[in-house]
Amino acid sequence: MARPDDEEGTAVANGHPPANGYLPVPGDTPAGKVSAETQNGPTAGCLALSGVSQDSPKAAASGTPDGPKTPLAPEEETQARLLPKDPGEETPGGEGTLVPRIALSPRRFVVLLIFSAYSLVNAFQWIQYSIISNVFEGFYNVSSLHIDWLSMVYMLAYVPLIFPATWLLDTRGLRLTALLGSGLNCLGAWVKCGSVQQHLFWVSMLGQCLCSVAQVFILGLPSHIASVWFGPKEVSTACATAVLGNQLGTAVGFLLPPVLVPNTQNDTQLLSCNISTMFYGTSAVATLLFILTVIAFKEKPRYPPSQAQAVLQDSPPGEYSYVKSIRNLFKSIPFVLLLISYGIMTGAFYSVSTLLNQMILTHYEGEEVNAGRIGLTLVLAGMVGSILCGLWLDYTKTYKHTTLTVYILSFVGMVIFTFTLNLGHIIIVFVTGGLLGFFMTGYLPLGFEFAVEITYPESEGTSSGLLNAAAQIFGILFTLAQGKLTSAYGPTTGNIFLCVWMFVGIILTALIKSDLKRHNINKGITNGDVKAVPVDSPTDQESKTILMSKQSESAI
């Protein structure tokens, strides 16, 4: 199988081969002014030895390499590929000043698609029980709390396992983490195929536990994949798209189970057959995606996609400490505030998703299929919200304002959903559920990207993992509390409980200080030293012996 480098390499002028992805900068070209290509992909323009584009009309004016130098036009700077300076020419920052080559790999879309697909299957398996909880209660002859735990085990497993999982991502790399997530997801799906008998609830729980462990290696990857593979003008959209896969899985989980497994408890044999169809279909898809992950999922592109990634990759990996990184994150007051507010919002979403079937059936008896469709509406609207928010962030970089605005609108949506649920018109629930989902689910990638910005250069996997851990903790607490309140006093009381907590989250979000460190690096603004985080797999033996000079570091 060909190395990923083979397809991502680009031609360089004869006599000037790149050294491990780095090319010397012409002596008269400021290091911070040169970029490999635009965000739209590779370009054909190259720098001649004089520092002028070979295709530019200005090249003729420069004459020989010893002649006067003509500064690059802005568009030529954008298209430049970094080539060696003239022999014997001195560089202000020191002889042979080097800067990293920045390039976008077309493979990034394959990696993003595969990840989104197996994340979809994992999310589908999370919600496939609770959306038809009454059917599984009758089939396994267990209480509603038992079925709720088939969903809450995802949240429970995440909390203790997130630290070893993020350590593995930081020290062993993206590919191994992806293989574990996809592989365990596939294994859990096959285990559940053996649980289609009324006395084998424990086997179903075992399979669900394996899927919940797989989730630990999935939820923290969106921001990491976006940062490692995508350029600064598309990183937020890429993160939103990666989160989109998980949301789409939840949507499919709301839609398909009520259709594939209708409430036929009077015919146990038919019910068993329907459950088997759902489980075996899920296993087949999960197996295909695991094979694709093994074949096509790569560690990282040959060249860093952004200046921020170049700085991280060029810093000495020996400086990195996972424990120190965790300590630094918890010392950051803005991150701690975001951690709590993100946990509240996402925990509320998990609770609503888990208990949606019970809330709908309380007011609309016999509407299992419509309960699934309402859940589908909630998540599909949220997917649209996620993409729009990602595009908006890439365009404006207004992280705090966007996050706070979406948080407030999510609170408003939750209030409207709460007080219209019992009006007796299910079409209203479709509308209010879609409004709630648009903002509540759309908030998820905002939290990831905001965390990466205010915690750079700490690992994206570590910050995302902690956010997800907070979400799981709040999700368990909210699901248990709201479930008790719903059973005792009705869905309205349970939803008011969530509204109060979401209002607290708004206050905490408003207190976050917005310091966009990653954005500042990409724009050429530095506020201090940048520490290294490991981004290479130990199996990637490509040498990283050439580091940026002090002049290059100050230029970026």
Side-chain angles (χ1 to χ4, degrees):
M1 183 169 59
R3 285 167 50 89
D5 298 355
D6 297 336
E7 67 182 53
E8 294 157 11
T10 52
V12 178
N14 293 334
H16 303 291
N20 292 328
Y22 294 85
L23 297 167
V25 180
D28 61 326
T29 306
K33 291 282 187 180
V34 185
S35 174
E37 57 185 52
T38 66
Q39 290 296 308
N40 295 325
T43 57
C46 297
L47 286 181
L49 293 180
S50 62
V52 182
S53 173
Q54 294 174 351
D55 302 331
S56 172
K58 296 179 183 179
S62 64
T64 66
D66 297 328
K69 306 298 187 298
T70 304
L72 291 175
E75 63 274 12
E76 292 173 325
E77 290 178 354
T78 302
Q79 296 176 357
R81 296 202 183 273
L82 310 182
L83 289 178
K85 63 175 186 171
D86 294 337
E89 184 180 337
E90 294 298 327
T91 303
E95 190 171 327
T97 298
L98 301 172
V99 297
R101 175 179 177 179
I102 307 300
L104 294 178
S105 165
R107 185 182 287 271
R108 67 193 188 278
F109 298 111
V110 176
V111 172
L112 184 62
L113 178 63
I114 293 174
F115 169 78
S116 298
Y118 75 74
S119 178
L120 181 155
V121 176
N122 184 259
F124 172 82
Q125 296 192 82
W126 164 58
I127 205 66
Q128 67 182 162
Y129 289 98
S130 54
I131 195 57
I132 49 173
S133 57
N134 57 318
V135 175
F136 280 106
E137 287 172 31
F139 181 74
Y140 287 120
N141 195 26
V142 296
S143 69
S144 61
L145 184 61
H146 284 79
I147 303 302
D148 288 345
W149 271 110
L150 287 171
S151 294
M152 288 191 292
V153 69
Y154 266 60
M155 310 174 203
L156 183 65
Y158 195 92
V159 178
L161 294 178
I162 182 55
F163 295 104
T166 52
W167 174 85
L168 189 74
L169 174 62
D170 291 344
T171 59
R172 294 294 181 263
L174 179 61
R175 176 174 165 81
L176 177 60
T177 306
L179 289 174
L180 284 173
S182 183
L184 288 171
N185 191 51
C186 176
L187 179 61
W190 281 108
V191 168
K192 287 192 284 188
C193 291
S195 68
V196 192
Q197 294 186 39
Q198 292 182 293
H199 64 285
L200 294 179
F201 174 79
W202 67 271
V203 178
S204 210
M205 178 62 79
L206 176 61
Q208 198 73 341
C209 287
L210 289 172
C211 293
S212 69
V213 175
Q215 178 209 216
V216 180
F217 299 101
I218 294 174
L219 287 188
L221 291 190
S223 59
H224 189 83
I225 290 174
S227 296
V228 171
W229 282 91
F230 289 83
K233 293 184 179 179
E234 57 190 14
V235 64
S236 297
T237 305
C239 181
T241 304
V243 173
L244 193 71
N246 198 267
Q247 296 172 359
L248 183 58
T250 305
V252 176
F254 280 128
L255 177 65
L256 285 186
V259 176
L260 296 175
V261 188
N263 191 356
T264 58
Q265 296 187 26
N266 294 329
D267 190 343
T268 305
Q269 185 175 358
L270 177 60
L271 184 58
S272 298
C273 181
N274 291 335
I275 294 175
S276 294
T277 300
M278 181 172 67
F279 285 168
Y280 276 104
T282 305
S283 302
V285 175
T287 301
L288 173 63
L289 291 172
F290 176 63
I291 294 172
L292 290 176
T293 304
V294 172
I295 294 174
F297 209 98
K298 301 300 179 184
E299 181 69 33
K300 62 182 178 64
R302 181 177 183 183
Y303 300 113
S306 66
Q307 195 65 61
Q309 276 298 305
V311 171
L312 294 180
Q313 293 185 21
D314 296 332
S315 301
E319 296 180 8
Y320 176 76
S321 166
Y322 177 72
V323 175
K324 184 178 180 181
S325 178
I326 296 287
R327 190 182 304 122
N328 289 342
L329 290 175
F330 279 108
K331 286 181 179 179
S332 170
I333 294 178
F335 177 74
V336 172
L337 292 173
L338 179 61
L339 185 71
I340 299 172
S341 61
Y342 182 90
I344 291 173
M345 173 68 82
T346 313
F349 169 72
Y350 289 162
S351 182
V352 169
S353 300
T354 302
L355 301 174
L356 183 63
N357 177 265
Q358 298 175 37
M359 286 190 283
I360 299 299
L361 294 184
T362 298
H363 297 294
Y364 305 93
E365 188 174 351
E367 294 285 358
E368 291 92 351
V369 173
N370 273 330
R373 290 171 179 168
I374 291 170
L376 174 67
T377 302
L378 187 148
V379 178
L380 288 179
M383 291 165 57
V384 176
S386 295
I387 292 298
L388 291 179
C389 289
L391 291 171
W392 177 257
L393 286 185
D394 280 332
Y395 180 73
T396 66
K397 302 300 180 182
T398 54
Y399 288 86
K400 179 178 177 178
H401 292 160
T402 304
T403 302
L404 181 59
T405 301
V406 172
Y407 214 122
I408 293 172
L409 293 174
S410 297
F411 169 75
V412 172
M414 189 67 200
V415 171
I416 295 174
F417 178 79
T418 298
F419 292 102
T420 58
L421 184 61
N422 61 352
L423 294 182
H425 301 286
I426 199 166
I427 187 65
I428 296 178
V429 184
F430 274 93
V431 175
T432 57
L435 178 67
L436 176 64
F438 182 87
F439 296 112
M440 182 178 276
T441 314
Y443 171 83
L444 303 184
L446 295 180
F448 281 153
E449 282 299 289
F450 196 16
V452 173
E453 288 291 339
I454 64 177
T455 62
Y456 180 88
E458 305 299 340
S459 168
E460 304 90 352
T462 304
S463 61
S464 298
L466 290 175
L467 289 181
N468 281 317
Q472 310 306 321
I473 293 172
F474 279 100
I476 293 174
L477 297 176
F478 286 172
T479 302
L480 291 174
Q482 188 184 10
K484 290 288 186 181
L485 291 171
T486 300
S487 299
Y489 305 104
T492 301
T493 304
N495 287 333
I496 291 175
F497 167 79
L498 292 183
C499 289
V500 172
W501 277 100
M502 290 174 68
F503 184 77
V504 174
I506 291 174
I507 297 174
L508 296 177
T509 303
L511 296 176
I512 297 174
K513 179 183 178 182
S514 181
D515 182 10
L516 307 183
K517 300 176 182 177
R518 181 180 66 177
H519 176 63
N520 290 341
I521 287 290
N522 285 325
K523 297 297 288 185
I525 306 169
T526 55
N527 297 324
D529 295 334
V530 175
K531 303 299 183 183
V533 294
V535 294
D536 296 343
S537 167
T539 60
D540 185 358
Q541 299 299 326
E542 186 176 5
S543 165
K544 292 291 183 185
T545 56
I546 304 179
L547 300 177
M548 298 176 66
S549 70
K550 293 296 182 182
Q551 180 193 13
S552 300
E553 290 176 354
S554 62
I556 63 170

